[in-house]
Amino acid sequence: MIVVMKTGTPEHEIHEVIKRIEEQGLIAHPIFGAERTVVGVVGSSFRQDLADMLSSVEAVESVIPVSKKYKLASREFHPVSTTFKVGDVVIGGEEVVVMAGPCSVENEEQIVTTARAVKASGARILRGGAFKPRTSPYQFRGMGEDGLKLLATARAETGLPVITEVLTPADVELVAQYADILQIGARNMQNFLLLEECGRSNKPVLLKRGISATIEEWLLAAEYILNAGNKEVMLCERGIRGYDTMTRNIFDLSAVPLVKKLSHLPVIADPSHATGKWYLVEPMAMASIACGADGLIIEVHPNPDHALSDGPQSLTLENFAKLMPKVEKIAVATERHVLPRLSQAR
Ligand code: PEP
Ligand code: MN
């Protein structure tokens, strides 16, 4: 349930309400707004006795049950869209943030060359996998910690924050030492122990939609991270499995505006994994922005034909450079922008 406090309620009265909630063995999540404060209550299903008790407190305007299974992730709970910073990049704000880089970190030259090129084209965050979830155990499974070190080198060279995947709860601490954003991959969306461990980390998390996850399951997965204490979560639509093998996945773009309606969390779109084909990435990146995505994550490789993973869906450095002014036009048409504003120091 959500407890809406009256406008201008002094802080000590809000804390009094929090205390009453906690006395019931429940968890209170106050959200201090510019106008008014609401206190979200989680830990049990709706309790009429508690609602009645809180409604009788003078500073309480109303008590509203939350109809959804997910609470902290819901817009009912948190009407204002969440924004947070990664370095000097604001996620969920006016800028549509572009994250770009190779599927896998392969060597220093590859990652540093890519980082420099995507930065020059306007990308704000560098992606690159070091721990790779692969369908077959015989495929390249990433460089591990050496890959993380190369990401740190590329960050030092370019100033771009880095996003990289973490595969297991045991690796969260290590990956968080190098990464600016932890990526939870589609195959791990319901690895609940991993979700909770990332929830205990102080790094923002990008949670990919599972290969056959419903939107409710995806939001409940985000709920695990939020409930463990990490409020800096973004959701990533990366396509879901269909019957047609012509594309790698079905890019469920309707999920983007739908999830933005259901949740306050930023939504990122991944046209690379969604389509599996490099020539579909540009039109689907444009479509992603048109339907309201807060960011894009795009695979870019200096030599896709020789990539150790996901070459067929990777853009060349040149094609990524050509894509950026096109997505900028769509962003401007939706009153946002992709390319950093001239006023922003870079
Ligand atoms: C990736 O980003 O390279 C990746 C493995 O993505 P997904 O989890 O969406 O398949
Ligand atoms: Mn990939």
Side-chain angles (χ1 to χ4, degrees), residues 316-329:
T316 59
L317 307 181
E318 297 74 24
N319 281 337
F320 180 71
K322 285 189 199 145
L323 166 138
M324 289 298 277
K326 295 196 180 171
V327 291
E328 170 71 2
K329 282 191 184 156

Side-chain angles (χ1 to χ4, degrees), residues 47-234:
R47 274 188 36 200
Q48 191 60 53
D49 60 327
L50 181 61
D52 291 344
M53 189 252 274
L54 293 170
S55 301
S56 69
V57 175
E58 204 182 324
V60 171
E61 171 132 343
S62 56
V63 178
I64 309 166
V66 177
S67 54
K68 310 279 190 318
K69 282 192 199 159
Y70 49 89
K71 311 284 179 198
L72 304 176
S74 77
R75 213 176 254 286
E76 281 169 280
F77 224 96
H78 195 293
V80 179
S81 295
T82 284
T83 62
F84 50 86
K85 278 181 107 175
V86 179
D88 65 352
V89 184
V90 178
I91 309 278
E94 192 192 317
E95 178 178 343
V96 179
V97 174
V98 177
M99 313 180 193
C103 179
S104 301
V105 180
E106 298 172 4
N107 56 61
E108 182 168 337
E109 201 202 328
Q110 174 241 20
I111 192 68
V112 172
T113 305
T114 310
R116 288 208 180 102
V118 297
K119 180 180 176 177
S121 298
R124 300 282 268 152
I125 292 172
L126 176 67
R127 66 148 287 150
F131 292 95
K132 295 302 301 175
R134 300 309 303 272
T135 304
S136 158
Y138 309 120
Q139 291 172 310
F140 176 62
R141 290 164 73 184
M143 294 179 71
E145 188 170 359
D146 289 342
L148 299 176
K149 289 182 179 157
L150 295 181
L151 283 170
T153 305
R155 173 176 49 211
E157 291 280 330
T158 59
L160 290 179
V162 301
I163 174 167
T164 194
E165 180 160 354
V166 57
L167 282 181
T168 69
D171 286 343
V172 170
E173 204 183 314
L174 172 74
V175 176
Q177 279 170 31
Y178 294 92
D180 298 288
I181 304 173
L182 301 172
Q183 176 176 325
I184 299 179
R187 291 156 193 80
N188 258 328
M189 188 204 83
Q190 283 188 316
N191 181 339
F192 300 113
L193 297 180
L194 178 63
L195 297 172
E196 286 186 322
E197 198 57 39
C198 290
R200 286 190 279 270
S201 144
N202 60 0
K203 292 290 162 86
V205 178
L206 178 139
L207 176 65
K208 290 205 166 191
R209 181 175 179 186
I211 286 170
S212 53
T214 64
I215 286 172
E216 187 178 72
E217 286 165 343
W218 187 19
L219 290 169
L220 282 165
E223 188 82 9
Y224 269 88
I225 307 172
L226 297 166
N227 192 41
N230 191 340
K231 302 289 177 246
E232 301 191 337
V233 178
M234 54 196 131

Side-chain angles (χ1 to χ4, degrees), residues 1-13:
M1 72 181 86
I2 300 166
V3 183
V4 183
M5 306 299 300
K6 286 188 180 149
T7 315
T9 301
E11 220 170 295
H12 72 270
E13 290 189 36

